[in-house]
Amino acid sequence: MATDELSSKLNRRLKIEEGAQDPVAVDGDHPNGSDEQEKPTTANADSELGAKLQRRGEMNDGVGEHQQRSMKVFNPYTEFKEFSRKQIKDMEKMFKQYDSEKDNFIDLMELKLMMEKLGAPQTHLGLKNMIKEVDEDLDGKLSFREFLLIFRKAAAGELAEDSGLHVLARLSEIDVSTEGVKGAKTFFEAKVQAINESNRFEAEIRQEQEEKKKEAEDRKHRQAAFKNLQSAFK
């Protein structure tokens, strides 16, 4: 059947070239080829648009994946300077402890298990609100950076006392109060006090070094004077 159709088109094309038949497009035969080029282009555009709409629908339904994350390297020690290295190590240890799937995220179910083990179980809505409060990329789960944000907010007094995140920070074994953190005011006062104590310690060291240097110079002068005195009696 395909051979008969091809033969029919070839015969019609020969008649058109000989002037025996007007060039009329029949059954998809396009004399100038313009429609043949336009159809694939339109089809590709429709296909691309359809794919985008389908992906958007899947994301709205919670099925599709979000856009690829930023490749910027995250360094907790430089971004969260208000915490000591030991505190950040403790937070990382706790994060990995509850990241049961080992995908570097704490999802809703893992957070549920965490709160239960801390002795403060939360409702499904409460867990979602906990994630939402620090979920900067809106992926519905906690990265390690977002996990650290919980303790930053707790340290700065930015969490309501009845919030799930405040309970998490308070019940965890990570003691952020060692930095004097019981609210933003006391936190920064403690940091200033720590800086002043450090400066005072350095000043005391410098003073001791200057005193030792002065003693050494005095001893050197006394030795030189004694030698001069000896030479006077020779």
Side-chain angles (χ1 to χ4, degrees), residues 10-29:
L10 289 175
N11 289 332
R12 187 167 63 253
R13 181 61 57 86
L14 288 174
K15 291 180 181 180
I16 292 173
E17 291 176 354
E18 293 173 357
Q21 183 174 335
D22 293 332
V24 179
V26 179
D27 296 334
D29 186 18

Side-chain angles (χ1 to χ4, degrees), residues 22-212:
D22 293 332
V24 179
V26 179
D27 296 334
D29 186 18
H30 304 286
N32 55 9
S34 60
D35 290 343
E36 292 180 355
Q37 295 177 359
E38 183 179 355
K39 183 177 291 185
T41 303
T42 304
N44 290 339
D46 291 343
S47 177
E48 183 179 356
L49 179 59
K52 288 182 178 180
L53 291 174
Q54 181 179 358
R55 180 174 177 276
R56 177 63 59 86
E58 291 176 350
M59 290 180 63
N60 291 337
D61 294 338
V63 178
E65 295 292 335
H66 288 266
Q67 291 183 351
Q68 185 177 2
R69 297 176 181 274
S70 172
M71 298 303 292
K72 182 181 178 181
V73 177
F74 164 57
N75 187 335
Y77 302 107
T78 57
E79 186 169 348
F80 291 83
K81 295 180 179 179
E82 64 266 40
F83 299 124
S84 66
R85 290 182 65 87
K86 181 182 183 304
Q87 287 174 327
I88 292 178
K89 288 289 185 183
D90 289 343
M91 296 176 197
E92 184 178 16
K93 182 179 179 181
M94 182 180 184
F95 182 85
K96 290 181 177 180
Q97 177 184 351
Y98 291 102
D99 177 20
S100 57
E101 294 185 3
K102 306 304 177 186
D103 59 354
N104 297 321
F105 294 99
I106 291 180
D107 60 23
L108 190 70
M109 295 306 297
E110 290 168 337
L111 181 61
K112 179 178 183 292
L113 179 61
M114 178 191 296
M115 298 305 295
E116 288 175 353
K117 287 191 175 183
L118 290 174
Q122 303 288 311
T123 64
H124 184 78
L125 180 58
L127 293 167
K128 293 183 69 174
N129 288 335
M130 287 175 65
I131 293 176
K132 184 178 180 181
E133 192 163 352
V134 289
D135 186 15
E136 293 187 332
D137 55 7
L138 304 178
D139 61 355
K141 50 190 176 181
L142 299 178
S143 64
F144 180 52
R145 182 183 180 281
E146 292 166 342
F147 186 71
L148 290 177
L149 288 177
I150 297 173
F151 296 93
R152 168 176 282 176
K153 287 177 175 288
E158 296 178 358
L159 297 176
E161 292 188 2
D162 59 347
S163 71
L165 293 186
H166 184 272
V167 173
L168 188 158
R170 179 171 54 83
L171 294 179
S172 69
E173 297 179 356
I174 303 163
D175 187 9
V176 296
S177 64
T178 56
E179 298 289 338
V181 178
K182 294 180 181 178
K185 185 173 182 294
T186 54
F187 171 72
F188 288 110
E189 285 179 352
K191 295 297 287 185
V192 171
Q193 182 181 356
I195 292 172
N196 290 338
E197 289 178 356
S198 177
N199 291 340
R200 184 180 63 187
F201 182 72
E202 292 176 359
E204 290 175 353
I205 293 177
R206 285 196 300 268
Q207 185 177 357
E208 291 178 0
Q209 291 174 342
E210 290 174 357
E211 290 176 354
K212 290 180 179 179

